[in-house]
Amino acid sequence: MLEPEVQKVEQLKGYIEKSDNIVFFGGAGVSTESGIPDFRSIDGLYHMKYQYPPETILSHTFFLRNTKEFYRFYRDKMLCLNAEPNITHKKLAQLEQRGKLKAIITQNIDGLHQKAGSKQVYELHGSIFRNYCTECGKYYDIEVVTKSEEIPHCNCGGVIKPDVVLYEEALNEQVMKEAVELIKNAQILIIGGTSLSVYPAAGLIRYYQGDKLVLINKSVTPYDRDADLLMNAGLGEIFSQL
């Protein structure tokens, strides 16, 4: 007789083997095993060094009013450029290469899915690797932030902003539209490493119409009851067995 968790992994394997229309929806928990912190769980550490909580610093209003302080925090805490893809990133890339996984929809901005080899990645909250001038719209790569001191500026004199969605800002409409279609048409939706508490991203799973909703997360989420397969475990623990 197999242990309950082993049974669930076998069930997930069965789902994957029989499908070529899987969509993965992931949050911060996908990247924590690569050493990228989920700042919500360690606010206390930041309060020792910063006068404001992360949610305040990472807001549109704060960026406009305290750009220098925003970039001090952003460079220090949001740019984990030495991070490498972990087993979950790698397994997802393999599933895409095998024709199983249609797309990854991520709330992360770290680019680790692409670094692992995934091609169809929809970044709901943008990417640290893209930056643009708030005046003329010219795009810059990550080096404009890492090589500048304090506030990076465009050749036109405008302030450069990371192409990441800050608090108070709307998500990219086109990315959201494509994510909705992918989830709506997916045979299997695997959700991993997210508390499903950040909206509007978390609301996307309501569009799923299938009967194989897989939810993998260490902590309880508001959607646990809706899962056809629920695993209260770390992603690495599960994906290392696939």
Side-chain angles (χ1 to χ4, degrees), residues 88-238:
T88 302
H89 296 109
K90 293 173 183 176
K91 289 285 185 177
L92 288 169
Q94 289 171 14
L95 287 175
E96 183 186 71
Q97 289 160 12
R98 288 176 57 199
K100 297 287 184 181
L101 187 74
K102 276 273 168 71
I104 292 168
I105 300 166
T106 181
Q107 294 171 281
N108 297 334
I109 60 174
D110 51 47
L112 289 179
H113 285 297
Q114 291 93 329
K115 200 170 184 180
S118 292
K119 305 297 184 187
Q120 297 300 316
V121 183
Y122 295 80
E123 297 169 312
L124 296 176
H125 295 155
S127 171
I128 61 171
F129 293 98
R130 297 189 302 270
N131 305 270
Y132 65 92
C133 174
T134 55
E135 292 294 330
C136 71
K138 181 180 177 181
Y139 265 82
Y140 290 86
D141 63 21
I142 188 69
E143 290 186 347
V144 76
V145 176
T146 58
K147 292 188 175 180
S148 62
E149 292 184 11
E150 298 184 348
I151 303 170
H153 286 88
C154 176
N155 296 332
C156 77
V159 172
I160 292 172
K161 178 186 178 295
D163 191 10
V164 299
V165 179
L166 302 177
Y167 288 99
E168 305 168 349
E169 294 180 344
L171 273 61
N172 182 286
E173 283 187 25
Q174 186 59 34
V175 174
M176 281 289 283
K177 183 179 178 182
E178 291 172 352
V180 166
E181 286 302 308
L182 284 162
I183 289 173
K184 189 186 292 184
N185 296 315
Q187 182 184 13
I188 299 172
L189 176 61
I190 303 175
I191 301 171
T194 172
S195 62
L196 294 174
S197 59
V198 178
Y199 286 83
L204 283 172
I205 72 168
R206 294 175 183 160
Y207 291 96
Y208 179 60
Q209 299 173 355
D211 60 358
K212 291 181 177 64
L213 175 62
V214 180
L215 186 47
I216 309 167
N217 199 53
K218 287 182 178 179
S219 59
V220 173
T221 82
Y223 290 88
D224 284 6
R225 289 183 187 176
D226 300 323
D228 299 291
L229 179 56
L230 176 65
M231 299 181 182
N232 294 124
L235 284 164
E237 182 185 339
I238 302 301

Side-chain angles (χ1 to χ4, degrees), residues 30-88:
V30 178
S31 293
T32 50
E33 292 176 27
S34 291
I36 296 179
D38 176 0
F39 68 77
R40 285 183 189 81
S41 62
I42 50 174
D43 279 5
L45 291 178
Y46 293 166
H47 287 161
M48 295 176 191
K49 191 172 178 179
Y50 300 93
Q51 297 177 14
Y52 311 91
E55 289 86 349
T56 299
I57 298 174
L58 295 173
S59 69
H60 180 76
T61 299
F62 194 92
F63 176 80
L64 294 178
R65 294 178 180 172
N66 303 277
T67 313
K68 181 178 174 182
E69 182 68 6
F70 168 89
Y71 266 112
R72 188 166 80 92
F73 177 89
Y74 183 79
R75 288 190 182 95
D76 192 25
K77 296 297 181 184
M78 306 301 288
L79 299 184
C80 303
L81 300 179
N82 294 323
E84 292 295 329
N86 59 53
I87 189 67
T88 302

